[in-house]
Amino acid sequence: MKITLDIDQLLREGRISQDEYSRLKQFAAETTSSLALNIVLAFGIVAVAGGTIALLHSSAATSILGIALAILGGYLCSAGVRWTLLGNVLLPLGALTGAGGIIAATDGSGGGFSLVAVLLIAGSLAAQSGLLASLSVFALLSALGGSTGYQHAAYFLCIEQPLLTVSAFSILAALSYFLSRVASPAYSRLATIFS
């Protein structure tokens, strides 16, 4: 649960002591540093996955490499605290690389995007990765025939089956929101991101 408080104002009003103020300010600094590191790490993972896909020029090799990295990352996540950070980097990197290979191998078909969505959801649960949870939603959109585009200074969103898309995403959003209310905090966060 996140709570927003103006601790400067609370200190001025005498509602918290100087010691409480210092302690809360230190917690805020730790959270800010963690958020900045996660943002940089997410951009790095996406960049490395994109570069790997571009360099290999083979959907089969990209898929195999990605799935192998994701499996290794999942193993390291479960191996213990010492290797968790490396596992939390390798699993999303492998999942994104493998997803690119699968999409290329299936020529962007709905089935390929469905498989990618399932793999991204599994990876997000294994690594507790909000990045993979959010990207799985876009894979589901593509599986239902939706797409996005960009042309000079204009963005596009195409929904081929609006009733199916709105119905499916309404149900998924409600279901994942409900799960976020009953799941443990780590998985509650992922369900909220997905919702």
Side-chain angles (χ1 to χ4, degrees), residues 76-121:
L76 292 176
C77 284
S78 65
V81 176
R82 185 174 186 184
W83 297 103
T84 302
L85 179 60
L86 180 59
N88 284 333
V89 171
L90 288 179
L91 199 149
L93 174 62
L96 289 177
T97 304
I102 291 168
I103 291 168
T106 60
D107 294 322
S109 70
F113 275 109
S114 297
L115 177 60
V116 165
V118 169
L119 292 176
L120 291 177
I121 290 169

Side-chain angles (χ1 to χ4, degrees), residues 12-28:
R12 281 193 304 273
E13 293 173 356
R15 297 176 74 185
I16 61 172
S17 68
Q18 182 64 42
D19 290 337
E20 291 170 323
Y21 174 83
S22 300
R23 185 168 177 239
L24 291 172
K25 192 160 183 123
Q26 182 176 353
F27 289 149

